[in-house]
Amino acid sequence: MAEHEEWEKLAEGLPPLRADDYYPEGEGGTAFWKSLRVDPDAQTEVNVIRTEGERLLCSPSEELTYSLFSLFAVQGSRLEYERVYFEKRRRLNTFAFLSLLEPESETYEAALWDAIWAISSEFTWCLPAHVDANRPVSETIDLFSAETGFALAELSLLLGGRLPELLRVRIAELVDERLFRPFLEKGPFHWEELTNNWSAVCAGSIGSAALLLMEEKRDHARLARILEKTERSMSFYLQGFGEDGACPEGLGYWNYGFGYFAYYADLLLKRTGGQRDWFREDKVRRIAGFQQKSFMGGRLVANFSDTQPYGSVHPGLSHYLAARYAEVEAPPASLHADYREDHCSRWAPALRNLIWRDRAVEGAAEWKDGDFVFRDAGWVISRFTAAGGTFGFAAKGGHNGESHNHNDLGHFMLAGRGAFFLSDLGCGEYTRDYFGEARYEYDCNGSQGHSVPIIDGRYQQEGTERSATVVRCETSEEVCRLELELSGAYEDGNLRAFDRRWVWNKTDLPSLSLRDEFRFAEAPERLTERFVSPVRPEVTEAGALRFARAELMLELHYDPKRLEAEVEERTYRDHYGKDTVWYALDFRVRRTEADLGIDFLFNFVTL
């Protein structure tokens, strides 16, 4: 039987989803929300939502005007429109939760109806930065339009008969008009075959909305087509991962893309009565374990690609995966994301942080120690506890054509006791140029903002052909060794070989030795070793710098006869548009040769 016919046959006999499917107690969620309202372990979360509700009741809702919408086209900036857009989603989420928690409140209910009405009245649910110039706006589907349709469809189900019929009908009409019909009739869309978060979020949201809204027998043919197309996009999404389960886009996009993959897979599992179960796939299991391997102590994240240096976890998604897979750890409570933390105010994870979180399960104070080798991605992340704290080392190979790529082959980080000493800048402010031809002029994206050499004034180049080769990778309880060949990262015909070796010694106060070996056709004119730090170092003596943070210090030792050190304070615009200081530590080779070996030693000491 053809795949399409299989989906038609399956869809024809599927019972509709009900609110009871979301709650173990049934009763349409009444018992769940009543218990959450008085549960002592939930009061911090509930009070934050209440506080947000009071703030929003006192704040008039802003409109998404043409002037705001046109700013991206005029000057390439995104934050102005998106601030208003996401605040409207914050109103929707907050008043929805408060209406579920306190169904007797006419104030919250009226505010929720207004929030739904306002979003239903928007010209488009897409962000200006994602509008496709080659198709009408009305036929464009982006991440946020798909998320919005999913959110409204889910609210329609959970609110049940409380939702006014006018709003229920309007939601169904708009989701059909803005998601289902374009997806089925106006594609293919560029994201349908992407191997990154777009395919999971867009297709997963559309597939989820269809599972929620398409209940009648007359809908089964369209539901089958949507699910068939969604499943195809999910397969492409999973192709973006190697067998090691690493997310090359970084932890933030693992939360995003894999989160929406899981939300869709869960609804599909429920509605098909277990007949379609993505969670049985071994690759999905390995991807589910990526989060716990990404942290370097406390909130510090090995934030390769466009990822923030400080992370948190969605407790709902994390507990859901921990319940499914024995090897997935329940997260430390200290890492749980605050309701206000998601500046995009996404409904799907916010809801599941409440309904999927298992308050009877308490994670350890810190993730388990381990050396995590991602052979497909070319990453190593090491985390271990000693001397009263957690220490972390991370380094990467891979290639410079990854999704949300930074030119960062051979880049590495060092952390101790919850603070970075050598770091990654993470993602900058998203603008038109940030994803355009000027992308690598931004320090956070180009190799100039990473701990890698600058050869004859040249930085690394982008592209999948710019790749690293893992020569050696060994781990034990005492030491972690990684060796990469990195000459392919540079567009330099003079560079014959570049070998970078790290030895991470996991002693009570750990140390890291780094050796770079270069072979050139002829001696380069200039060679500079650069390291990136959030801390301005102090010169202690010739050949030594130190970075002090609280009661811990990192010492950097080098040969002053061979290297001349310089520290430059620089700034970049972070993801939220804030100017942020970082320090470029440059070690210029005094006398270059055709064959060069350069050594550095980093060791932690207490103050």
PDB file of all heavy atoms in Angstrom, residues 455 495 497-499 501 515-520 522-529 562-563 588-599:
ATOM      1  N   ILE A 455      46.026  34.205  10.547  1.00  0.00           N
ATOM      2  CA  ILE A 455      47.215  33.867   9.765  1.00  0.00           C
ATOM      3  C   ILE A 455      47.396  34.882   8.650  1.00  0.00           C
ATOM      4  O   ILE A 455      46.553  34.986   7.746  1.00  0.00           O
ATOM      5  CB  ILE A 455      47.103  32.443   9.199  1.00  0.00           C
ATOM      6  CG1 ILE A 455      46.911  31.426  10.342  1.00  0.00           C
ATOM      7  CG2 ILE A 455      48.339  32.094   8.372  1.00  0.00           C
ATOM      8  CD1 ILE A 455      46.624  30.020   9.861  1.00  0.00           C
ATOM      9  N   LEU A 495      49.552  27.786   3.734  1.00  0.00           N
ATOM     10  CA  LEU A 495      49.404  26.917   4.902  1.00  0.00           C
ATOM     11  C   LEU A 495      49.294  25.463   4.455  1.00  0.00           C
ATOM     12  O   LEU A 495      48.356  25.074   3.779  1.00  0.00           O
ATOM     13  CB  LEU A 495      48.157  27.320   5.694  1.00  0.00           C
ATOM     14  CG  LEU A 495      47.844  26.492   6.949  1.00  0.00           C
ATOM     15  CD1 LEU A 495      48.941  26.626   7.988  1.00  0.00           C
ATOM     16  CD2 LEU A 495      46.500  26.927   7.545  1.00  0.00           C
ATOM     17  N   ALA A 497      49.770  22.696   6.789  1.00  0.00           N
ATOM     18  CA  ALA A 497      49.186  21.883   7.858  1.00  0.00           C
ATOM     19  C   ALA A 497      49.046  22.735   9.116  1.00  0.00           C
ATOM     20  O   ALA A 497      49.868  23.624   9.373  1.00  0.00           O
ATOM     21  CB  ALA A 497      50.045  20.654   8.140  1.00  0.00           C
ATOM     22  N   PHE A 498      47.988  22.466   9.867  1.00  0.00           N
ATOM     23  CA  PHE A 498      47.774  23.136  11.161  1.00  0.00           C
ATOM     24  C   PHE A 498      47.166  22.110  12.104  1.00  0.00           C
ATOM     25  O   PHE A 498      46.028  21.680  11.915  1.00  0.00           O
ATOM     26  CB  PHE A 498      46.874  24.351  10.986  1.00  0.00           C
ATOM     27  CG  PHE A 498      46.367  24.968  12.267  1.00  0.00           C
ATOM     28  CD1 PHE A 498      47.049  24.843  13.481  1.00  0.00           C
ATOM     29  CD2 PHE A 498      45.185  25.695  12.283  1.00  0.00           C
ATOM     30  CE1 PHE A 498      46.573  25.401  14.658  1.00  0.00           C
ATOM     31  CE2 PHE A 498      44.698  26.270  13.451  1.00  0.00           C
ATOM     32  CZ  PHE A 498      45.391  26.101  14.642  1.00  0.00           C
ATOM     33  N   ASP A 499      47.929  21.729  13.091  1.00  0.00           N
ATOM     34  CA  ASP A 499      47.516  20.708  14.045  1.00  0.00           C
ATOM     35  C   ASP A 499      47.352  21.362  15.415  1.00  0.00           C
ATOM     36  O   ASP A 499      48.279  22.005  15.914  1.00  0.00           O
ATOM     37  CB  ASP A 499      48.586  19.613  14.115  1.00  0.00           C
ATOM     38  CG  ASP A 499      48.084  18.364  14.805  1.00  0.00           C
ATOM     39  OD1 ASP A 499      47.316  17.622  14.183  1.00  0.00           O
ATOM     40  OD2 ASP A 499      48.446  18.148  15.976  1.00  0.00           O
ATOM     41  N   ARG A 501      46.310  20.650  19.461  1.00  0.00           N
ATOM     42  CA  ARG A 501      46.174  19.570  20.437  1.00  0.00           C
ATOM     43  C   ARG A 501      45.870  20.149  21.809  1.00  0.00           C
ATOM     44  O   ARG A 501      46.564  21.049  22.275  1.00  0.00           O
ATOM     45  CB  ARG A 501      47.465  18.754  20.522  1.00  0.00           C
ATOM     46  CG  ARG A 501      47.954  18.198  19.211  1.00  0.00           C
ATOM     47  CD  ARG A 501      49.344  17.594  19.376  1.00  0.00           C
ATOM     48  NE  ARG A 501      49.955  17.316  18.083  1.00  0.00           N
ATOM     49  CZ  ARG A 501      51.249  17.065  17.913  1.00  0.00           C
ATOM     50  NH1 ARG A 501      52.066  17.057  18.951  1.00  0.00           N
ATOM     51  NH2 ARG A 501      51.725  16.815  16.701  1.00  0.00           N
ATOM     52  N   ARG A 515      48.784  22.983  22.314  1.00  0.00           N
ATOM     53  CA  ARG A 515      49.924  23.090  21.397  1.00  0.00           C
ATOM     54  C   ARG A 515      49.403  23.207  19.980  1.00  0.00           C
ATOM     55  O   ARG A 515      48.597  22.383  19.516  1.00  0.00           O
ATOM     56  CB  ARG A 515      50.861  21.892  21.503  1.00  0.00           C
ATOM     57  CG  ARG A 515      52.063  22.003  20.541  1.00  0.00           C
ATOM     58  CD  ARG A 515      53.121  20.968  20.780  1.00  0.00           C
ATOM     59  NE  ARG A 515      54.203  21.039  19.798  1.00  0.00           N
ATOM     60  CZ  ARG A 515      55.215  21.913  19.824  1.00  0.00           C
ATOM     61  NH1 ARG A 515      55.297  22.801  20.820  1.00  0.00           N
ATOM     62  NH2 ARG A 515      56.158  21.914  18.896  1.00  0.00           N
ATOM     63  N   ASP A 516      49.873  24.246  19.292  1.00  0.00           N
ATOM     64  CA  ASP A 516      49.563  24.445  17.883  1.00  0.00           C
ATOM     65  C   ASP A 516      50.826  24.232  17.064  1.00  0.00           C
ATOM     66  O   ASP A 516      51.876  24.833  17.359  1.00  0.00           O
ATOM     67  CB  ASP A 516      49.040  25.862  17.628  1.00  0.00           C
ATOM     68  CG  ASP A 516      47.599  26.046  18.084  1.00  0.00           C
ATOM     69  OD1 ASP A 516      46.911  25.033  18.310  1.00  0.00           O
ATOM     70  OD2 ASP A 516      47.165  27.204  18.213  1.00  0.00           O
ATOM     71  N   GLU A 517      50.728  23.402  16.049  1.00  0.00           N
ATOM     72  CA  GLU A 517      51.848  23.172  15.136  1.00  0.00           C
ATOM     73  C   GLU A 517      51.431  23.558  13.729  1.00  0.00           C
ATOM     74  O   GLU A 517      50.408  23.090  13.217  1.00  0.00           O
ATOM     75  CB  GLU A 517      52.282  21.705  15.171  1.00  0.00           C
ATOM     76  CG  GLU A 517      52.900  21.293  16.504  1.00  0.00           C
ATOM     77  CD  GLU A 517      53.415  19.866  16.491  1.00  0.00           C
ATOM     78  OE1 GLU A 517      53.208  19.166  15.466  1.00  0.00           O
ATOM     79  OE2 GLU A 517      54.021  19.450  17.495  1.00  0.00           O
ATOM     80  N   PHE A 518      52.221  24.467  13.116  1.00  0.00           N
ATOM     81  CA  PHE A 518      51.938  24.966  11.775  1.00  0.00           C
ATOM     82  C   PHE A 518      53.061  24.536  10.830  1.00  0.00           C
ATOM     83  O   PHE A 518      54.242  24.535  11.202  1.00  0.00           O
ATOM     84  CB  PHE A 518      51.868  26.499  11.768  1.00  0.00           C
ATOM     85  CG  PHE A 518      50.820  27.077  12.678  1.00  0.00           C
ATOM     86  CD1 PHE A 518      51.133  27.378  14.001  1.00  0.00           C
ATOM     87  CD2 PHE A 518      49.542  27.343  12.226  1.00  0.00           C
ATOM     88  CE1 PHE A 518      50.181  27.934  14.848  1.00  0.00           C
ATOM     89  CE2 PHE A 518      48.587  27.903  13.060  1.00  0.00           C
ATOM     90  CZ  PHE A 518      48.907  28.197  14.370  1.00  0.00           C
ATOM     91  N   ARG A 519      52.674  24.253   9.602  1.00  0.00           N
ATOM     92  CA  ARG A 519      53.666  24.027   8.552  1.00  0.00           C
ATOM     93  C   ARG A 519      53.248  24.845   7.336  1.00  0.00           C
ATOM     94  O   ARG A 519      52.132  24.695   6.820  1.00  0.00           O
ATOM     95  CB  ARG A 519      53.773  22.549   8.190  1.00  0.00           C
ATOM     96  CG  ARG A 519      54.950  22.271   7.240  1.00  0.00           C
ATOM     97  CD  ARG A 519      55.227  20.788   7.042  1.00  0.00           C
ATOM     98  NE  ARG A 519      54.253  20.169   6.149  1.00  0.00           N
ATOM     99  CZ  ARG A 519      53.325  19.325   6.531  1.00  0.00           C
ATOM    100  NH1 ARG A 519      53.223  18.990   7.810  1.00  0.00           N
ATOM    101  NH2 ARG A 519      52.479  18.801   5.657  1.00  0.00           N
ATOM    102  N   PHE A 520      54.134  25.730   6.919  1.00  0.00           N
ATOM    103  CA  PHE A 520      53.875  26.625   5.796  1.00  0.00           C
ATOM    104  C   PHE A 520      54.839  26.299   4.658  1.00  0.00           C
ATOM    105  O   PHE A 520      55.933  25.752   4.873  1.00  0.00           O
ATOM    106  CB  PHE A 520      54.075  28.083   6.204  1.00  0.00           C
ATOM    107  CG  PHE A 520      53.125  28.569   7.265  1.00  0.00           C
ATOM    108  CD1 PHE A 520      53.481  28.519   8.604  1.00  0.00           C
ATOM    109  CD2 PHE A 520      51.880  29.068   6.924  1.00  0.00           C
ATOM    110  CE1 PHE A 520      52.616  28.969   9.592  1.00  0.00           C
ATOM    111  CE2 PHE A 520      51.009  29.520   7.891  1.00  0.00           C
ATOM    112  CZ  PHE A 520      51.370  29.467   9.223  1.00  0.00           C
ATOM    113  N   GLU A 522      56.259  28.657   3.045  1.00  0.00           N
ATOM    114  CA  GLU A 522      57.315  29.590   3.454  1.00  0.00           C
ATOM    115  C   GLU A 522      56.806  30.389   4.643  1.00  0.00           C
ATOM    116  O   GLU A 522      55.592  30.468   4.876  1.00  0.00           O
ATOM    117  CB  GLU A 522      57.712  30.517   2.319  1.00  0.00           C
ATOM    118  CG  GLU A 522      56.574  31.336   1.749  1.00  0.00           C
ATOM    119  CD  GLU A 522      57.012  32.178   0.559  1.00  0.00           C
ATOM    120  OE1 GLU A 522      57.630  31.636  -0.373  1.00  0.00           O
ATOM    121  OE2 GLU A 522      56.723  33.398   0.583  1.00  0.00           O
ATOM    122  N   ALA A 523      57.700  30.929   5.426  1.00  0.00           N
ATOM    123  CA  ALA A 523      57.317  31.609   6.660  1.00  0.00           C
ATOM    124  C   ALA A 523      56.303  32.715   6.382  1.00  0.00           C
ATOM    125  O   ALA A 523      56.517  33.542   5.481  1.00  0.00           O
ATOM    126  CB  ALA A 523      58.547  32.194   7.345  1.00  0.00           C
ATOM    127  N   PRO A 524      55.187  32.744   7.100  1.00  0.00           N
ATOM    128  CA  PRO A 524      54.202  33.824   6.913  1.00  0.00           C
ATOM    129  C   PRO A 524      54.758  35.133   7.454  1.00  0.00           C
ATOM    130  O   PRO A 524      55.673  35.159   8.289  1.00  0.00           O
ATOM    131  CB  PRO A 524      53.012  33.346   7.735  1.00  0.00           C
ATOM    132  CG  PRO A 524      53.612  32.518   8.821  1.00  0.00           C
ATOM    133  CD  PRO A 524      54.789  31.821   8.192  1.00  0.00           C
ATOM    134  N   GLU A 525      54.183  36.222   6.976  1.00  0.00           N
ATOM    135  CA  GLU A 525      54.610  37.523   7.481  1.00  0.00           C
ATOM    136  C   GLU A 525      54.138  37.743   8.908  1.00  0.00           C
ATOM    137  O   GLU A 525      54.868  38.305   9.735  1.00  0.00           O
ATOM    138  CB  GLU A 525      54.072  38.644   6.583  1.00  0.00           C
ATOM    139  CG  GLU A 525      54.669  38.666   5.190  1.00  0.00           C
ATOM    140  CD  GLU A 525      54.165  39.841   4.387  1.00  0.00           C
ATOM    141  OE1 GLU A 525      53.483  40.727   4.986  1.00  0.00           O
ATOM    142  OE2 GLU A 525      54.432  39.892   3.169  1.00  0.00           O
ATOM    143  N   ARG A 526      52.909  37.292   9.217  1.00  0.00           N
ATOM    144  CA  ARG A 526      52.339  37.497  10.549  1.00  0.00           C
ATOM    145  C   ARG A 526      51.576  36.255  10.985  1.00  0.00           C
ATOM    146  O   ARG A 526      50.943  35.598  10.162  1.00  0.00           O
ATOM    147  CB  ARG A 526      51.368  38.688  10.555  1.00  0.00           C
ATOM    148  CG  ARG A 526      52.007  40.049  10.340  1.00  0.00           C
ATOM    149  CD  ARG A 526      50.924  41.106  10.128  1.00  0.00           C
ATOM    150  NE  ARG A 526      50.211  40.905   8.864  1.00  0.00           N
ATOM    151  CZ  ARG A 526      49.024  41.402   8.575  1.00  0.00           C
ATOM    152  NH1 ARG A 526      48.366  42.115   9.500  1.00  0.00           N
ATOM    153  NH2 ARG A 526      48.456  41.179   7.408  1.00  0.00           N
ATOM    154  N   LEU A 527      51.628  35.982  12.268  1.00  0.00           N
ATOM    155  CA  LEU A 527      50.827  34.914  12.853  1.00  0.00           C
ATOM    156  C   LEU A 527      50.446  35.326  14.263  1.00  0.00           C
ATOM    157  O   LEU A 527      51.325  35.648  15.079  1.00  0.00           O
ATOM    158  CB  LEU A 527      51.601  33.598  12.889  1.00  0.00           C
ATOM    159  CG  LEU A 527      50.871  32.408  13.524  1.00  0.00           C
ATOM    160  CD1 LEU A 527      49.589  32.080  12.768  1.00  0.00           C
ATOM    161  CD2 LEU A 527      51.777  31.185  13.581  1.00  0.00           C
ATOM    162  N   THR A 528      49.154  35.346  14.524  1.00  0.00           N
ATOM    163  CA  THR A 528      48.646  35.774  15.832  1.00  0.00           C
ATOM    164  C   THR A 528      47.731  34.697  16.401  1.00  0.00           C
ATOM    165  O   THR A 528      46.806  34.237  15.718  1.00  0.00           O
ATOM    166  CB  THR A 528      47.863  37.093  15.719  1.00  0.00           C
ATOM    167  OG1 THR A 528      48.725  38.112  15.201  1.00  0.00           O
ATOM    168  CG2 THR A 528      47.337  37.526  17.086  1.00  0.00           C
ATOM    169  N   GLU A 529      48.005  34.301  17.628  1.00  0.00           N
ATOM    170  CA  GLU A 529      47.103  33.411  18.361  1.00  0.00           C
ATOM    171  C   GLU A 529      46.132  34.278  19.151  1.00  0.00           C
ATOM    172  O   GLU A 529      46.554  35.168  19.901  1.00  0.00           O
ATOM    173  CB  GLU A 529      47.892  32.517  19.330  1.00  0.00           C
ATOM    174  CG  GLU A 529      48.795  31.515  18.650  1.00  0.00           C
ATOM    175  CD  GLU A 529      48.076  30.218  18.340  1.00  0.00           C
ATOM    176  OE1 GLU A 529      46.824  30.220  18.320  1.00  0.00           O
ATOM    177  OE2 GLU A 529      48.762  29.207  18.115  1.00  0.00           O
ATOM    178  N   ARG A 562      59.101  34.292  22.501  1.00  0.00           N
ATOM    179  CA  ARG A 562      58.575  33.945  21.195  1.00  0.00           C
ATOM    180  C   ARG A 562      57.280  34.674  20.867  1.00  0.00           C
ATOM    181  O   ARG A 562      56.928  34.839  19.702  1.00  0.00           O
ATOM    182  CB  ARG A 562      58.326  32.433  21.110  1.00  0.00           C
ATOM    183  CG  ARG A 562      59.552  31.582  21.370  1.00  0.00           C
ATOM    184  CD  ARG A 562      59.279  30.148  20.991  1.00  0.00           C
ATOM    185  NE  ARG A 562      59.018  30.026  19.563  1.00  0.00           N
ATOM    186  CZ  ARG A 562      58.401  28.993  18.999  1.00  0.00           C
ATOM    187  NH1 ARG A 562      57.947  28.020  19.759  1.00  0.00           N
ATOM    188  NH2 ARG A 562      58.212  28.947  17.700  1.00  0.00           N
ATOM    189  N   LEU A 563      56.558  35.107  21.916  1.00  0.00           N
ATOM    190  CA  LEU A 563      55.244  35.705  21.716  1.00  0.00           C
ATOM    191  C   LEU A 563      55.144  37.053  22.408  1.00  0.00           C
ATOM    192  O   LEU A 563      55.628  37.224  23.532  1.00  0.00           O
ATOM    193  CB  LEU A 563      54.160  34.776  22.281  1.00  0.00           C
ATOM    194  CG  LEU A 563      54.060  33.366  21.685  1.00  0.00           C
ATOM    195  CD1 LEU A 563      53.089  32.525  22.495  1.00  0.00           C
ATOM    196  CD2 LEU A 563      53.640  33.420  20.219  1.00  0.00           C
ATOM    197  N   ARG A 588      51.187  37.640  19.395  1.00  0.00           N
ATOM    198  CA  ARG A 588      51.837  37.746  18.079  1.00  0.00           C
ATOM    199  C   ARG A 588      53.180  37.034  18.112  1.00  0.00           C
ATOM    200  O   ARG A 588      53.991  37.233  19.028  1.00  0.00           O
ATOM    201  CB  ARG A 588      52.026  39.214  17.709  1.00  0.00           C
ATOM    202  CG  ARG A 588      52.638  39.437  16.326  1.00  0.00           C
ATOM    203  CD  ARG A 588      52.737  40.910  15.990  1.00  0.00           C
ATOM    204  NE  ARG A 588      53.557  41.626  16.952  1.00  0.00           N
ATOM    205  CZ  ARG A 588      54.892  41.662  16.913  1.00  0.00           C
ATOM    206  NH1 ARG A 588      55.551  41.018  15.964  1.00  0.00           N
ATOM    207  NH2 ARG A 588      55.558  42.357  17.806  1.00  0.00           N
ATOM    208  N   VAL A 589      53.409  36.203  17.112  1.00  0.00           N
ATOM    209  CA  VAL A 589      54.681  35.493  17.005  1.00  0.00           C
ATOM    210  C   VAL A 589      55.754  36.496  16.595  1.00  0.00           C
ATOM    211  O   VAL A 589      55.630  37.176  15.571  1.00  0.00           O
ATOM    212  CB  VAL A 589      54.588  34.348  15.987  1.00  0.00           C
ATOM    213  CG1 VAL A 589      55.941  33.658  15.815  1.00  0.00           C
ATOM    214  CG2 VAL A 589      53.526  33.332  16.421  1.00  0.00           C
ATOM    215  N   ARG A 590      56.799  36.612  17.409  1.00  0.00           N
ATOM    216  CA  ARG A 590      57.853  37.618  17.149  1.00  0.00           C
ATOM    217  C   ARG A 590      58.644  37.297  15.883  1.00  0.00           C
ATOM    218  O   ARG A 590      59.004  38.198  15.115  1.00  0.00           O
ATOM    219  CB  ARG A 590      58.789  37.688  18.351  1.00  0.00           C
ATOM    220  CG  ARG A 590      58.117  38.207  19.631  1.00  0.00           C
ATOM    221  CD  ARG A 590      59.118  38.290  20.768  1.00  0.00           C
ATOM    222  NE  ARG A 590      58.509  38.675  22.024  1.00  0.00           N
ATOM    223  CZ  ARG A 590      58.285  39.934  22.423  1.00  0.00           C
ATOM    224  NH1 ARG A 590      58.629  40.933  21.616  1.00  0.00           N
ATOM    225  NH2 ARG A 590      57.726  40.194  23.584  1.00  0.00           N
ATOM    226  N   ARG A 591      58.929  36.029  15.701  1.00  0.00           N
ATOM    227  CA  ARG A 591      59.708  35.623  14.518  1.00  0.00           C
ATOM    228  C   ARG A 591      59.048  34.408  13.905  1.00  0.00           C
ATOM    229  O   ARG A 591      59.034  33.326  14.488  1.00  0.00           O
ATOM    230  CB  ARG A 591      61.154  35.303  14.905  1.00  0.00           C
ATOM    231  CG  ARG A 591      62.005  34.883  13.716  1.00  0.00           C
ATOM    232  CD  ARG A 591      63.406  34.517  14.151  1.00  0.00           C
ATOM    233  NE  ARG A 591      64.187  33.998  13.037  1.00  0.00           N
ATOM    234  CZ  ARG A 591      65.425  33.521  13.130  1.00  0.00           C
ATOM    235  NH1 ARG A 591      66.025  33.504  14.326  1.00  0.00           N
ATOM    236  NH2 ARG A 591      66.067  33.070  12.067  1.00  0.00           N
ATOM    237  N   THR A 592      58.450  34.587  12.733  1.00  0.00           N
ATOM    238  CA  THR A 592      57.743  33.474  12.090  1.00  0.00           C
ATOM    239  C   THR A 592      58.736  32.583  11.344  1.00  0.00           C
ATOM    240  O   THR A 592      59.780  33.030  10.872  1.00  0.00           O
ATOM    241  CB  THR A 592      56.679  33.991  11.115  1.00  0.00           C
ATOM    242  OG1 THR A 592      57.317  34.776  10.095  1.00  0.00           O
ATOM    243  CG2 THR A 592      55.657  34.841  11.839  1.00  0.00           C
ATOM    244  N   GLU A 593      58.370  31.315  11.227  1.00  0.00           N
ATOM    245  CA  GLU A 593      59.152  30.329  10.497  1.00  0.00           C
ATOM    246  C   GLU A 593      58.209  29.445   9.701  1.00  0.00           C
ATOM    247  O   GLU A 593      56.996  29.427   9.942  1.00  0.00           O
ATOM    248  CB  GLU A 593      59.978  29.478  11.468  1.00  0.00           C
ATOM    249  CG  GLU A 593      60.939  30.278  12.330  1.00  0.00           C
ATOM    250  CD  GLU A 593      61.610  29.402  13.373  1.00  0.00           C
ATOM    251  OE1 GLU A 593      62.047  28.282  13.012  1.00  0.00           O
ATOM    252  OE2 GLU A 593      61.683  29.818  14.538  1.00  0.00           O
ATOM    253  N   ALA A 594      58.767  28.683   8.786  1.00  0.00           N
ATOM    254  CA  ALA A 594      57.941  27.787   7.979  1.00  0.00           C
ATOM    255  C   ALA A 594      57.329  26.685   8.837  1.00  0.00           C
ATOM    256  O   ALA A 594      56.198  26.247   8.589  1.00  0.00           O
ATOM    257  CB  ALA A 594      58.768  27.192   6.841  1.00  0.00           C
ATOM    258  N   ASP A 595      58.065  26.237   9.837  1.00  0.00           N
ATOM    259  CA  ASP A 595      57.553  25.230  10.769  1.00  0.00           C
ATOM    260  C   ASP A 595      57.547  25.833  12.162  1.00  0.00           C
ATOM    261  O   ASP A 595      58.597  26.268  12.669  1.00  0.00           O
ATOM    262  CB  ASP A 595      58.415  23.967  10.745  1.00  0.00           C
ATOM    263  CG  ASP A 595      58.337  23.251   9.418  1.00  0.00           C
ATOM    264  OD1 ASP A 595      57.208  22.988   8.964  1.00  0.00           O
ATOM    265  OD2 ASP A 595      59.391  22.971   8.822  1.00  0.00           O
ATOM    266  N   LEU A 596      56.367  25.874  12.771  1.00  0.00           N
ATOM    267  CA  LEU A 596      56.209  26.542  14.066  1.00  0.00           C
ATOM    268  C   LEU A 596      55.460  25.644  15.033  1.00  0.00           C
ATOM    269  O   LEU A 596      54.474  24.990  14.664  1.00  0.00           O
ATOM    270  CB  LEU A 596      55.395  27.835  13.910  1.00  0.00           C
ATOM    271  CG  LEU A 596      56.106  29.093  13.410  1.00  0.00           C
ATOM    272  CD1 LEU A 596      55.070  30.168  13.121  1.00  0.00           C
ATOM    273  CD2 LEU A 596      57.105  29.589  14.447  1.00  0.00           C
ATOM    274  N   GLY A 597      55.913  25.646  16.273  1.00  0.00           N
ATOM    275  CA  GLY A 597      55.175  25.001  17.346  1.00  0.00           C
ATOM    276  C   GLY A 597      54.996  25.999  18.479  1.00  0.00           C
ATOM    277  O   GLY A 597      55.969  26.624  18.936  1.00  0.00           O
ATOM    278  N   ILE A 598      53.753  26.204  18.918  1.00  0.00           N
ATOM    279  CA  ILE A 598      53.447  27.212  19.945  1.00  0.00           C
ATOM    280  C   ILE A 598      52.702  26.534  21.081  1.00  0.00           C
ATOM    281  O   ILE A 598      51.748  25.779  20.850  1.00  0.00           O
ATOM    282  CB  ILE A 598      52.596  28.356  19.356  1.00  0.00           C
ATOM    283  CG1 ILE A 598      53.312  29.002  18.165  1.00  0.00           C
ATOM    284  CG2 ILE A 598      52.287  29.404  20.422  1.00  0.00           C
ATOM    285  CD1 ILE A 598      52.459  30.000  17.419  1.00  0.00           C
ATOM    286  N   ASP A 599      53.131  26.803  22.307  1.00  0.00           N
ATOM    287  CA  ASP A 599      52.550  26.162  23.486  1.00  0.00           C
ATOM    288  C   ASP A 599      51.944  27.183  24.437  1.00  0.00           C
ATOM    289  O   ASP A 599      52.509  28.271  24.639  1.00  0.00           O
ATOM    290  CB  ASP A 599      53.614  25.367  24.246  1.00  0.00           C
ATOM    291  CG  ASP A 599      54.121  24.179  23.452  1.00  0.00           C
ATOM    292  OD1 ASP A 599      53.369  23.207  23.338  1.00  0.00           O
ATOM    293  OD2 ASP A 599      55.269  24.256  22.932  1.00  0.00           O
TER     294      ASP A 599
END
